[in-house]
Amino acid sequence: MKYVSEYRDKESALKYTGLIKKLVTREWSIMEVCGGQTHTIVKYGIDQLLPDSVTLIHGPGCPVCVTPIELIDQAISIAGLENVILCSFGDMLRVPGSCSDLLGVKASGGDVRMVYSPIDAIAIAAGNPEKEIVFFAVGFETTAPVTAAAVLQAEHLGLDNFSMLVSHVLVPPAIEVVLSGEDCAIQGFLAAGHVCTVMGYTEYEPIAEKYGVPIVVTGFEPLDILEGIHMCLKQLEEGRTDVENQYLRSVSREGNRTAIEIMRRVFEITDRKWRGIGRIPGSGLRLRERFARFDAGKKYEVSSHEVDEPEICISGEVLRGNKKPLECAAFGNVCTPEHPLGAPMVSAEGACAAYYRYRLARGK
Amino acid sequence: MNNSRITEMICPIPLSDHPEITMAHGGGGRLMNDLIDRIMLKAFTNPILDKRHDGAAIAVGEGRLAFATDSHVITPLFFPGGDIGALSVYGTVNDLAMCGADARWLSAAFIIEEGFSMKTLWKVVLSMAEASLKTGVSIVTGDTKVVDRGKGDGIYINTAGIGIIPAGVDIAPSRIREGDAVVLSGDIGRHGIAVMAIREGIQLESTIRSDLAPLDSMAGDLLREGLDIHCMRDLTRGGLASGLNEIASMTDCSIRIEENLIPVHDEVLGACEILGFDPLYVANEGRFVVILPRENGDRAVEILRRHDNGRQAEIIGFVEKPSYADVLMISSIGSERIIDMLSGEQLPRIC
């Protein structure tokens, strides 16, 4: 298939692994920020193709995983209300809150619907004026502009039966949290190509400079990742700390200005708790006061209390890149995709779920 | 409240221990297999059922009969490449064909919702008649129930079938041996994507048609040519990955396949890319795998390719000695990965 198979080609993969082996003179640790990249790395065994001296560390970039448990509880409470249709993306529906998940609410008779875009939720609201439609908005900068567009559309259509629970999060503050950790071993970053397709990469330039790390904006196909790793290693070997763009076919330095503009019109920056990591200042988006009537958090007075993760779970360490899933005592026995204890096991893009699916030996 | 007390409060009710049935329990993955193991097999256990083949093989007098059943609930009732009527006949005929049986007799049970259009019912029934004519089965008994409006989804159809297993045919996962070839009858993922595209209103450049087809003539040809078939399985919910896992889990062997050898149509691949699906887990209704001695592999491919529905048949891998996983795949870039059974249903990814 065009634009896919050429990025999954064995010969080109061999070429890049050869170049990397020739280039590397010492040990290096690189973090891929995005869960989609982690998924590709583990699925295609890219880490196993690299020399032993290169370590890939998996980052916190799975928006489903890091959605705070309190917000999921809130969504679950709202979904259980009379007359409400709760809509969200597919993989959000099975993420456990403290007592249930959204698919469980559906099984108990709640009207929970999977949508592909918040715009679909708008259509449901327009078609069901007697119902209240709530969209549970999760995702990084990648999905935030479409959520913002949905708010503008709801306003344009004068819909008063549509609201949203916003849990959008931003990547750069999370990278800073990882980098400012005392025991941070990360020497270079692969930034998330889709986030940068929207935002561009100017925000990453001060981070590269402040912390002295090279950052390479990277795509999601196996060859994108191999090329991104090669570019990052080249900078490390040459002692450079620039922001470079591997994902040229999608990303420009300034990003998608229309998308950024829509996002800024609708949202403002707020502090947000990340599941497994904790509160990160300036790392979330919330609706501006002007759009407060679309805020489901204000419309429905459902309370949720602070919840902690189980003690055995090392998800915080995994999300910060300090530990690998296989180092967790709960991994694969008490913690599985059917019984997730921590954030990275709950979504298919989480590091633990990726290891469970592609790496956990369970043969005869 | 102190931390330890809050920790004690956490009860992420696991899906597999859910007090109620969820959609994932019917998704063809690990949860459905759990349900069958822990509820159905536990209550009904007997030597025939415990073999867990697509249908039951029963000795009657000198010969053997195959007996299978399948229920059909699908939205939309009509989709590109088929409808619930043809699906209900082929579903059971295919299960019988996978036992090496010649399908003969079918029962048909209808659960119809009050208010369902008589015209649509006629269309469905005609499609069943046509499918049974095509596969040489007779629908010899049936049942009809009507439920209140709102208590059904238009129409549900169950069929059960009986077929005759020719003398000398012995097909079961337990016969698989190290070194056997794994043959796939055609490209995968069409049915799941065709139905999903209609159901979810996903616009693709061209219409993907379901692969819905009877497998009896292809399976019959393989047997008539005298190939020593060890196991056959039609790939339905859960796709190729689940089918291979089900087979491997019942043997002492592992199965190793190669990604580059598995045919997937570009349109299916494109839709999977958009939705974040893996075509290995997408449903089929007219594809099956045949496992047979390595030296018969090429011959099986040749026979399957004589059929319109088998033009893309390929040897996709081999049975090997036990390994760290039941099913392994060499990826397109040459690395190795585990092909696990899906936990529940595949859900579209966020980005």
Side-chain angles (χ1 to χ4, degrees), chain B residues 5 12 30 34 37 56 70-71 83 98 100 123 125 137 153 155 181 187 199 248 261 263-264 275 322:
Chain B
R5 278 207 47 206
R30 191 182 296 124
D34 257 15
D37 281 344
D70 214 340
S71 295
D83 58 75
M98 294 302 105
K123 227 171 129 182
V125 167
V137 290
D153 198 5
I155 185 168
D187 66 324
R199 189 158 56 203
L261 298 176
V264 188
L275 297 168

Side-chain angles (χ1 to χ4, degrees), chain B residues 50-78:
Chain B
D50 293 348
K51 284 191 177 155
R52 297 199 62 176
H53 200 17
D54 277 342
I58 311 159
V60 183
E62 297 286 291
R64 286 198 308 152
L65 292 180
F67 182 32
T69 185
D70 214 340
S71 295
H72 299 273
V73 293
I74 187 167
T75 312
L77 297 175
F78 299 85

Side-chain angles (χ1 to χ4, degrees), chain A residues 356-357 359-364, chain B residues 30 245 248-255 320-328 338-340:
Chain A
Y356 184 88
R357 189 155 165 200
R359 289 289 164 79
L360 182 63
R362 52 180 158 274
K364 290 166 269 271
Chain B
R30 191 182 296 124
N245 268 286
S249 68
M250 282 182 273
T251 71
D252 293 328
C253 309
S254 67
I255 293 174
E320 299 188 345
K321 58 179 186 297
S323 179
Y324 63 93
D326 282 342
V327 183
L328 294 160
I338 294 173
I339 302 295
D340 189 18

Side-chain angles (χ1 to χ4, degrees), chain A residues 330-353:
Chain A
F331 178 79
N333 45 65
V334 275
C335 182
T336 64
E338 293 89 29
H339 299 241
L341 288 186
M345 187 62 97
V346 295
S347 154
E349 301 219 339
C352 297

Side-chain angles (χ1 to χ4, degrees), chain B residues 169-305:
Chain B
V169 171
D170 180 16
I171 294 175
S174 56
R175 290 200 60 223
I176 291 171
R177 296 287 172 270
E178 227 178 284
D180 280 359
V182 179
V183 177
L184 172 64
S185 70
D187 66 324
I188 56 168
R190 283 174 179 267
H191 180 74
I193 297 296
V195 170
M196 175 148 242
I198 298 268
R199 189 158 56 203
E200 308 295 343
I202 298 164
Q203 311 265 325
L204 301 165
E205 275 175 25
S206 63
T207 307
I208 296 172
R209 292 172 65 81
S210 165
D211 59 343
L212 175 63
L215 302 173
D216 57 332
S217 62
M218 285 201 280
D221 274 4
L222 292 171
L223 289 168
R224 274 188 289 277
E225 297 271 349
L227 298 184
D228 179 24
I229 295 170
H230 289 168
C231 183
M232 291 194 281
R233 181 150 303 222
D234 62 337
L235 307 173
T236 52
R237 278 166 307 171
L240 176 63
S242 302
L244 292 178
N245 268 286
E246 282 167 19
I247 295 172
S249 68
M250 282 182 273
T251 71
D252 293 328
C253 309
S254 67
I255 293 174
R256 184 187 303 262
I257 55 174
E258 249 188 77
E259 185 170 23
N260 284 342
L261 298 176
I262 301 169
V264 188
H265 191 274
D266 268 2
E267 291 267 319
V268 171
L269 201 56
C272 285
E273 287 296 320
I274 294 167
L275 297 168
F277 284 177
D278 186 335
L280 293 177
Y281 295 92
V282 178
N284 309 273
E285 286 294 348
R287 298 288 180 261
F288 68 118
V289 287
V290 188
I291 301 183
L292 75 179
R294 184 184 284 249
E295 58 273 20
N296 291 160
D298 289 334
R299 182 88 185 104
V301 168
E302 196 188 305
I303 294 164
L304 291 174
R305 285 190 183 168

Side-chain angles (χ1 to χ4, degrees), chain B residues 110 112 116-126 155:
Chain B
F110 299 87
I112 311 171
F116 189 70
S117 147
M118 194 63 82
K119 210 171 135 192
T120 312
L121 179 63
W122 179 237
K123 227 171 129 182
V124 169
V125 167
L126 276 187
I155 185 168

